[in-house]
Amino acid sequence: VFGLASCGNMDELYKDQKTEYSIYSSKVTGQTVQPGFERATLNWTNPTDFVAVGVEISWNEGADVVTLESLESTYTVTGLSSATYTFEIRTFDAHGNKSLPQKVSAKVYGQDDLAIVTKPSFVLGQSAAGTHTLTIKNLSGAMNMWGGKLILTIDGTEPVDLSQTFNI
């Protein structure tokens, strides 16, 4: 009698979050976002209970949605404009039941933001001894705001000594 009295409708546990779903897939955890220039890279940890089979990501209050048909743990949303976005990450099971949304927000930078960033400048100098020096100025502003990487490409027939370590 006591065992049966304690069983009840599990929807009561989700009454504050419940919308149109009555059965839930397991939710993701540890969600983070790395904003960039017209993009945002989302990362999360998938549930380990073998219920979820895919991931759905939405933003712009659900107007934009991408569905990943497997349990990916990262996704880069591209083509974004300059704005603060709130992304919702949900898993879904084989029957289409979705988890409760896990939210993460970030400011994405775009063309409108270019005017406020001091652009990097590059100066290539040559000493009398024949060595070359590449000086990069104002790199931290652009790299700190949008992230990215610096790629050094050398074209030509002359050998190049890259044995020294460069700290940027």
Side-chain angles (χ1 to χ4, degrees), residues 90-112:
R90 291 180 173 90
T91 64
F92 57 88
D93 65 18
H95 304 287
N97 299 311
K98 297 178 184 177
S99 69
L100 295 172
Q102 298 301 298
K103 298 179 181 182
V104 62
S105 298
K107 164 70 172 115
V108 173
Y109 295 93
Q111 291 293 327
D112 296 343

Side-chain angles (χ1 to χ4, degrees), residues 27-33 42-46 73 89 102 104:
K27 63 184 180 180
V28 302
T29 58
Q31 61 277 1
T32 62
V33 60
L42 304 165
N43 295 286
W44 60 89
T45 302
N46 287 306
S73 60
I89 307 168
Q102 298 301 298
V104 62

Side-chain angles (χ1 to χ4, degrees), residues 18-93:
K18 185 178 177 188
T19 56
E20 70 272 15
Y21 311 114
S22 62
I23 300 174
Y24 297 93
S25 178
S26 304
K27 63 184 180 180
V28 302
T29 58
Q31 61 277 1
T32 62
V33 60
Q34 176 64 44
F37 185 75
E38 297 181 346
R39 62 159 175 73
T41 299
L42 304 165
N43 295 286
W44 60 89
T45 302
N46 287 306
T48 58
D49 62 3
F50 303 108
V51 173
V53 296
V55 178
E56 177 184 277
I57 301 167
S58 62
W59 63 99
N60 289 333
E61 297 181 17
D64 295 304
V65 178
V66 65
T67 302
L68 308 175
E69 297 295 334
S70 62
L71 287 177
E72 304 295 328
S73 60
T74 187
Y75 184 79
T76 300
V77 179
T78 59
L80 300 172
S81 58
S82 177
T84 298
Y85 292 88
T86 297
F87 299 95
E88 293 187 351
I89 307 168
R90 291 180 173 90
T91 64
F92 57 88
D93 65 18

